[in-house]
Amino acid sequence: MASARLRHEHGLTLLRDAVNAANGVVRRSLAGTLNEDDAGTLANALEKLRSATNWLEGSNNFESAHQVLDHFGRVRRLLFADDCALAYAEGVYQHTCPVALAHNRVGLSIGAIIEESECSICGLDPDDEECFHVTGRYYDNQQCVVVVTKASMDHVAIVERPDFPDARLAAVPMSTAAMREVLGDKHQPGVRLTCDRCLSKCSGIVWPMRL
């Protein structure tokens, strides 16, 4: 697990890089020079901003990252509305948007006995004295992580703040009944639905483990 200092440093790096990329899209939009890659650039920036909220959770910069995420979520909805649709799979709508997911502060923690692992940078055991890489840091644009090569799994727990900050939900399902409460009884599952969440005022962060 990365130290609080390294978490904070990495979170600030993600925040800075994402803001720079997203602001580039905004500048090109104002200049009328958007290119075919800008939708993807902004989508990637939002993923980084979600990650930044994860790494900055518990720090004084968390709320700033949250506000920046909301801001650029709105920008994406205004510039690339076609990309802001609810995912639909196996008869269920799902929120997969990083902005929506970042507001639901739950994560996953794996209980396991790690028998063998290696550093993603050098391939050595992270406890080997010849491995000088720090988990969470980037080396030549590659993030250092511990790669578990052999383990005995025990359980997966839902927690508020996982040891690995990005161990979060990839999607949140939305029941058909809940959708019909909003859209009416004539709503038919499978119809493409554009999400307008980011056009409304943020309703705040949800901390399910504290409810």
Side-chain angles (χ1 to χ4, degrees):
M1 179 177 67
S3 68
R5 180 179 62 82
L6 288 177
R7 283 188 180 216
H8 190 250
E9 289 178 357
H10 182 55
L12 289 178
T13 297
L14 288 169
L15 181 60
R16 182 189 65 245
D17 291 349
V19 168
N20 287 340
N23 276 336
V25 175
V26 172
R27 286 193 295 270
R28 287 188 289 278
S29 173
L30 293 174
T33 58
L34 283 175
N35 61 61
E36 60 183 12
D37 296 324
D38 279 332
T41 297
L42 191 52
N44 289 335
L46 289 178
E47 291 288 355
K48 275 193 172 183
L49 287 171
R50 183 199 179 190
S51 183
T53 65
N54 296 337
W55 286 83
L56 293 171
E57 186 172 283
S59 77
N60 293 332
N61 294 106
F62 173 79
E63 184 55 30
S64 296
H66 164 217
Q67 292 178 12
V68 170
L69 178 66
D70 282 347
H71 170 71
F72 285 115
R74 181 179 178 82
V75 169
R76 185 192 190 198
R77 175 62 182 79
L78 292 172
L79 294 182
F80 306 107
D82 288 344
D83 293 341
C84 293
L86 297 177
Y88 185 77
E90 299 181 357
V92 178
Y93 286 100
Q94 301 178 67
H95 250 312
T96 57
C97 170
V99 181
L101 294 176
H103 287 72
N104 188 359
R105 304 310 300 171
V106 295
L108 304 175
S109 179
I110 297 175
I113 299 174
I114 298 176
E115 300 174 14
E116 296 178 7
S117 62
E118 61 185 41
C119 169
S120 63
I121 304 298
C122 65
L124 294 174
D125 186 318
D127 293 327
D128 191 310
E129 61 181 14
E130 293 186 11
C131 175
F132 299 101
H133 302 107
V134 179
T135 301
R137 284 189 177 176
Y138 279 79
Y139 298 86
D140 295 327
N141 294 320
Q142 181 180 349
Q143 186 180 19
C144 177
V145 298
V146 175
V147 180
V148 177
T149 56
K150 184 178 181 181
S152 299
M153 302 301 294
D154 181 55
H155 68 274
V156 176
I158 296 177
V159 298
E160 182 173 291
R161 190 183 302 178
D163 287 343
F164 183 69
D166 286 328
R168 305 280 176 169
L169 301 178
V172 174
M174 306 173 71
S175 72
T176 300
M179 298 296 293
R180 283 181 172 156
E181 284 184 12
V182 176
L183 301 173
D185 293 337
K186 293 184 178 180
H187 165 66
Q188 294 298 319
V191 175
R192 186 180 186 279
L193 295 176
T194 300
C195 176
D196 296 335
R197 182 187 187 284
C198 290
L199 296 180
S200 302
K201 182 179 179 181
C202 176
S203 57
I205 298 291
V206 178
W207 307 86
M209 306 299 289
R210 302 180 188 180
L211 300 178

